[in-house]
Amino acid sequence: MDTTTLIQASAKVVTITELKPGDVYKRVDDAYGGTKLIFGIVRDVMNNGTDAAFTALEVESGYQPTPTVKVFKAGASLSLFAARPDEVSAHLVDVQMAAARRVADAERALTTAHEAFDAVVAIRDDISRGHELTPATTGAIDGQVA
């Protein structure tokens, strides 16, 4: 069955007829081999009498959710849909939680890297103070090879 027919039969149609700063929207993006839903907040609407464009701060879900400022010119092929502010807020909570997890992971990795660095510095300091390194020995000790 054609999804267009299915959706048109059951959907309440809301048409975006005007954009102003602070408006929120959902946008369907088919880039990079997959369809994804992106939420946006209109930052500026520009019109010089000949050309029109708007800028928006968009936040998508994913492994590395990063707010991105986008510029859309008149005539661009966009799939914009109305969004409710509470819907965008809920999305931002999810994105914030994902970002917090990434920060915690990065902090753990940084701590581990600092510990490794400090251990190497301590070993080098021991050597520079005259503590000698000796070669490992091999041989049988109580019937075992060391």
Side-chain angles (χ1 to χ4, degrees):
M1 173 181 271
D2 180 23
T3 55
T4 303
T5 305
L6 179 67
I7 293 169
Q8 286 178 343
S10 63
K12 176 181 168 186
V13 176
V14 177
T15 305
I16 296 176
T17 58
E18 177 183 308
L19 284 177
K20 63 185 179 313
D23 285 349
V24 293
Y25 63 86
K26 295 180 272 195
R27 181 171 68 84
V28 175
D29 185 21
D30 289 322
Y32 305 112
T35 302
K36 56 187 168 185
L37 186 62
I38 300 171
F39 287 86
I41 304 164
V42 176
R43 306 309 287 162
D44 191 18
V45 179
M46 301 166 287
N47 188 334
N48 65 9
T50 305
D51 298 315
F54 73 94
T55 61
L57 180 65
E58 291 191 339
V59 182
E60 63 182 85
S61 299
Y63 175 69
Q64 293 187 346
T66 304
T68 307
V69 175
K70 297 281 190 160
V71 179
F72 299 102
K73 288 179 63 174
S77 178
L78 297 176
S79 295
L80 289 184
F81 301 91
R84 296 181 322 274
D86 64 317
E87 195 176 13
V88 176
S89 291
H91 173 72
L92 291 175
V93 166
D94 291 343
V95 169
Q96 181 180 2
M97 289 172 49
R101 283 191 298 273
R102 284 185 38 235
V103 167
D105 291 346
E107 286 173 342
R108 279 191 294 277
L110 181 61
T111 297
T112 301
H114 275 298
E115 289 169 353
F117 177 83
D118 292 344
V120 170
V121 168
I123 292 168
R124 289 192 66 214
D125 288 348
D126 279 350
I127 293 169
S128 68
R129 285 190 210 108
H131 295 110
E132 291 185 26
L133 298 179
T134 58
T137 58
T138 59
I141 300 175
D142 295 333
Q144 295 181 5
V145 176

